[in-house]
């Protein structure tokens, strides 16, 4: 009966039924059971009803404030909750505070109404922004609801990295000018920023101060950067335009290995007599690729089968060992034709069964089996960038708008609202976008050659 009740205001029929059920379930001869009975019945209540129940009497208030009830609500609504971010040692209220604040912040971000956020323009770059990453923020898995010091870093062709406080729009530091920068990534755990410039010079920067920590020359104008941790040891793998793969250790960028291959059995601790392993993925005309979350050896790629026909294929990569040798195995898991012929493709993965593809003005959502789950065509110009997390999807476009979509509880995607980035008289459109749990930052291409960042901060 309780599971289907919508309680409404105290004194209504549903609340009377709740009170009667509690009375029946409690043994008046054992007062100590009252709290246990109330807590058991209150597991059927949603957060609003639980708050109302806490106002009925002292016994109900004590039961409704039980941390276990609010922890249960948190874990039912979110798959992961970072209890440490509540910033309090009061166990009796921490889970309740966490739930109410996170739910309130999500409500504001879901609606995007005027007054629920502030927008600031971050100016200082004298060139084009080539990368935008959060150095210190709050992800969907680690929402720092009590931390308002989210920091975003931007890299530019003006040869500088800049760090900004998202909430107040303050420039925290700027690196010395060097060759035009081409790439930017970060390691939030260690607060390290990594850049690659047009001459192939890799550098690391201390996130708090902007101090240079290490450098490594690759002599390649085109580099791909991948940072990761193994047993608490920091590694950076660099792929170059010449086909070499170099693995560097810690922020000082100490060289661990360098080989002319695509894959190797051990990049972080190669044996002296180890033969490099190489295996090509059997596709041509590769346009986009992404590793699938929770399955790091599974990769999805978009490629051309023939002119004007796009294919999305999924591969599992593994190593087969025998007594005398090891071989890389690349096995196709799925392959299907895409409903687009666009030459501009962006590909992201939400989880092991949800792929997002941006093609021109359209956002497409596919299952791993190739079923088209949803499509959105709300932009008037091509989508230039998108970011995806467990709560929302944000797409940036040349039409100078950001479209914000949120995930429903059933896993479907719902379009919510848009944010504007200024006037086309001053800018040519958005080029990059990044978001954390409480803010969105995007770069606009200035017509004067000086890109500007737009920071949207949602207050909780």
């Amino acid at each position: 009966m309780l599971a289907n009740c919508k309680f409404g205001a105290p004194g209504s029929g549903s609340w009377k039924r709740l009170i009667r059920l509690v009375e029946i379930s409690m043994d008046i001869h054992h007062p100590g059971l009252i709290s246990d009975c109330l807590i058991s019945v209150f597991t059927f209540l949603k957060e609003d009803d639980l708050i109302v129940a806490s106002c009925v009497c002292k016994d109900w208030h004590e039961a409704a404030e039980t941390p276990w009830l609010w922890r249960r609500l948190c874990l039912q609504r979110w798959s992961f909750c970072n209890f440490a971010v509540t910033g309090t040692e009061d166990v009796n209220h921490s889970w309740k505070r966490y739930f109410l604040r996170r739910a309130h912040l999500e409500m504001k971000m879901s609606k995007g109404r005027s007054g629920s956020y502030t927008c600031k323009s971050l100016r200082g770059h004298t060139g084009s922004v080539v990368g935008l990453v959060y150095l210190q923020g709050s992800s969907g898995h680690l929402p720092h609801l009590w931390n308002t010091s989210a920091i975003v870093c931007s890299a530019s062709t003006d040869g500088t990295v800049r760090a900004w406080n998202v909430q107040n729009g303050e420039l925290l530091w700027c690196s010395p000018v060097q060759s035009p920068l081409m790439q930017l990534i970060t390691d939030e755990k260690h607060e390290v920023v990594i850049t690659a410039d047009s001459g192939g010079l890799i550098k690391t920067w201390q996130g708090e101060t902007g101090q240079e920590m290490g450098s490594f020359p690759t002599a390649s104008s085109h580099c791909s950067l991948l940072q990761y941790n193994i047993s608490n040891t920091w590694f950076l793998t660099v792929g170059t335009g010449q086909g070499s793969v170099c693995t560097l250790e810690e922020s000082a960028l100490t060289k661990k290995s360098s080989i002319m291959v695509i894959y190797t059995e051990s990049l972080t601790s190669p044996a002296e007599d180890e033969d490099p392993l190489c295996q090509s993925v059997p596709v041509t005309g590769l346009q986009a690729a992404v590793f699938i979350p929770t399955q790091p050896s599974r990769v999805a790629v978009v490629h051309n089968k023939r002119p004007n026909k796009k294919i999305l294929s999924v591969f599992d990569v593994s190593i087969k060992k025998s007594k005398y040798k090891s071989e890389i195995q690349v096995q196709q898991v799925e392959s299907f034709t895409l409903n687009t012929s666009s030459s501009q493709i962006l590909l992201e993965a939400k989880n092991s069964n949800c792929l997002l593809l941006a093609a021109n003005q359209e956002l497409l959502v596919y299952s791993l089996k190739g079923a088209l789950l949803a499509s959105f065509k709300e932009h008037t110009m091509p989508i230039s960038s998108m970011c995806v997390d467990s709560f929302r999807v944000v797409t940036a476009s040349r039409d100078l708008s950001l479209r914000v979509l949120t995930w429903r509880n059933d896993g479907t995607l719902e379009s919510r609202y848009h944010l504007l980035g200024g006037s086309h008289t001053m800018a040519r459109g958005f080029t990059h976008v990044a978001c954390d749990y409480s803010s969105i930052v995007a770069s606009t291409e200035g017509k004067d050659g000086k890109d500007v960042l737009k920071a949207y901060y949602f207050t909780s």
Side-chain angles (χ1 to χ4, degrees), residues 177-348:
V177 177
Q178 62 180 98
S179 299
L181 297 177
M182 306 297 288
Q183 281 201 52
L184 171 72
I185 63 172
T186 186
D187 174 24
E188 282 192 40
K189 181 179 179 181
H190 297 92
E191 295 191 7
V192 175
V193 182
I194 306 111
T195 60
D197 68 15
S198 58
L201 182 63
I202 311 298
K203 285 189 176 183
T204 54
W205 313 86
Q206 208 283 328
E208 184 176 353
T209 63
Q211 180 181 357
E212 183 179 328
M213 303 173 70
S215 65
F216 183 85
T218 66
S220 174
S221 59
H222 299 284
C223 295
S224 295
L225 308 178
L226 177 65
Q227 190 279 323
Y228 51 96
N229 296 280
I230 300 177
S231 300
N232 296 321
T233 303
W234 190 97
F235 292 102
L236 176 70
T237 293
V238 182
T240 71
Q242 287 79 23
S244 68
V245 175
C246 183
T247 299
L248 312 173
E249 184 179 4
E250 299 296 340
S251 54
L253 300 180
T254 303
K255 185 176 178 180
K256 291 292 292 183
S257 66
S258 181
I259 48 180
M260 291 296 293
V261 294
I262 305 302
Y263 301 103
T264 182
E265 189 170 357
S266 177
L267 291 171
T268 58
S269 55
E272 292 183 1
D273 59 348
E274 180 183 75
D275 292 328
L277 302 178
C278 180
Q279 178 64 51
S280 299
V281 178
V283 299
T284 58
L286 180 66
Q287 285 193 272
V290 66
F291 281 109
I292 295 179
T294 71
Q295 295 177 296
S297 60
R298 178 167 288 184
V299 61
V301 300
V302 176
H303 56 101
N304 296 321
K305 188 171 184 179
R306 58 175 180 265
N308 299 322
K309 186 173 183 179
K310 309 293 181 185
I311 303 294
L312 195 153
S313 299
V314 181
F315 298 92
D316 278 342
V317 181
S318 61
I319 294 179
K320 181 181 179 181
K321 295 184 178 181
S322 64
K323 185 177 181 180
Y324 300 105
K325 64 177 181 178
S326 298
E327 294 179 322
I328 291 179
Q329 304 274 309
V330 179
Q331 181 179 3
Q332 181 175 294
V333 177
E334 300 291 344
S335 186
F336 53 89
T337 302
L338 296 173
N339 299 336
T340 180
S341 59
S342 172
S343 60
Q344 302 180 46
I345 299 288
L346 301 175
L347 183 63
E348 295 287 347

Side-chain angles (χ1 to χ4, degrees), residues 41-86:
V41 173
F42 287 173
T43 60
F44 292 97
L45 301 184
K46 299 297 185 182
E47 61 272 14
D48 292 339
D49 296 319
L50 195 57
I51 292 172
V52 173
S54 69
C55 301
V56 172
C57 64
K58 180 180 178 181
D59 289 336
W60 284 43
H61 177 78
E62 290 179 354
E65 292 292 309
T66 302
W68 178 82
L69 287 173
W70 290 99
R71 179 181 181 275
R72 185 173 180 271
L73 286 173
C74 285
L75 296 178
Q76 283 178 341
R77 181 158 178 171
W78 303 290
S79 59
F80 182 87
C81 299
N82 184 15
F83 181 81
V85 305
T86 56

